[in-house]
Structure formats: C-alpha cells, structure tokens
Amino acid sequence: LCWDKYNPQFQEAVQYAEAYIQTTLQPAVSDTGHGASQKRPVLTVALDIVLPLFLCSARCRDPTTRRRALAMLKICRRKEGIWDSAACASVCEKVIELEEQAALPDGTIPEHGRIYEMDLRLREETGGSITYKRRLRDGDVETIEGDVIW
C-alpha cells in the first residue's frame, strides 16, 4: 500500500502530462504511397512522458487518475528509448483489469489484490509475454500469464 501515499503526485504528474501532450501532440502521419496515411510514433531518447504515465497507470490506485494516464499512453504515440507507449498501455490495461477484479465492493483494491511484480519474457518468434504476480492473503503468490504484448 506504500504507493497510495503518492496519489497527489500521481494526479499532478498526469495533469502535467496532459498539458504537455496537448501542446506537443501533432499528427505524426506519413503517406504510405497507397493513398492511405499511417500514424508513426515519435521516437526520442528523452524519458519525459511514457515512463511517468506508465508508473501512474500501473501504481496509482485512484481509478480516475490511472485511467487518465492510461488514455494518454494510448494516444501519445511515443517511443522514448525502450519505452513504447502502445506496449506500456497494453501492460497497464492488464494490470488495471486484474486489480479491479480483486477490488472490494467499495472499489478499494486490497493489498492482496495488487500486482506487485511483472516479468517480461521476450521470444524472437512470438514477440513476448508478461507474467503478473500478486501476493495472496495467506502469503502464497498468484501467477497470472499475460498475452503476447506485441
């Protein structure tokens, strides 16, 4: 539950990210030569948007804040070093889904319902998959296999 104390900072980070994306998001479009346009991600070495939005989506338990961060990951079309916004959005979407399945009737996500670890496995032929882990009430670990993420 230690991440819960950072909810005000998560909210502020999402506000700044929204402002940044609104001022910098331009249609990244290229002509494919077939009369159709395809959106390309912006590639940068700066780690200014994707990683903070990933952390907000994956660790913040305020449903409004984490969904705002997830929505921005989906639309920003950025690759910041190894951090791809589309792949991060896919991972966070699964984390949110798994945690909300374990939520109490009032919407609170108890400690035993939270994802505490994600293991990425890369396979050249299939892309990759993620294993999500959470600690159950009795101390056992629940392992949930994720889908191929790209």
Side-chain angles (χ1 to χ4, degrees), residues 12-147:
E12 188 174 8
V14 170
Q15 288 173 345
Y16 286 133
E18 285 173 335
Y20 178 83
I21 288 172
Q22 281 184 336
T23 59
T24 62
L25 186 64
Q26 298 175 8
V29 183
S30 66
D31 188 354
T32 61
H34 304 311
S37 294
Q38 183 177 352
K39 296 178 181 180
R40 288 185 305 181
V42 173
L43 176 62
T44 179
V45 295
L47 299 176
D48 46 353
I49 293 296
V50 177
L51 182 56
L53 289 175
F54 174 79
L55 288 174
C56 289
S57 296
R59 297 295 178 218
C60 179
R61 296 317 184 278
D62 175 62
T64 303
T65 302
R66 78 187 318 190
R67 289 195 184 283
R68 283 172 51 202
L70 177 61
M72 283 186 288
L73 276 174
K74 289 180 177 182
I75 66 163
C76 73
R77 299 183 322 269
R78 291 179 65 91
K79 286 190 178 207
E80 297 177 351
I82 63 168
W83 295 93
D84 178 273
S85 60
C88 287
S90 176
V91 170
C92 289
E93 212 163 28
K94 186 68 174 179
V95 169
I96 292 169
E97 174 191 325
L98 292 170
E99 289 186 344
E100 288 180 351
Q101 287 173 354
L104 300 174
D106 67 357
T108 304
I109 300 168
E111 181 66 27
H112 67 271
R114 296 179 184 212
I115 300 298
Y116 74 92
E117 185 179 317
M118 294 173 266
D119 292 327
L120 174 65
R121 291 194 185 101
L122 298 175
R123 292 183 193 93
E124 198 171 319
E125 64 281 354
T126 61
S129 65
I130 292 191
T131 302
Y132 302 89
K133 295 181 181 178
R134 65 174 148 212
R135 283 193 179 28
L136 302 175
R137 286 185 191 137
D138 59 8
D140 286 344
V141 174
E142 178 184 18
T143 302
I144 305 144
E145 291 296 324
D147 299 326

Side-chain angles (χ1 to χ4, degrees), residues 1-7 9-10 59-61 111 114:
L1 298 173
C2 67
W3 289 99
D4 292 347
K5 66 183 175 186
Y6 297 108
N7 279 345
Q9 287 88 350
F10 287 138
R59 297 295 178 218
C60 179
R61 296 317 184 278
E111 181 66 27
R114 296 179 184 212

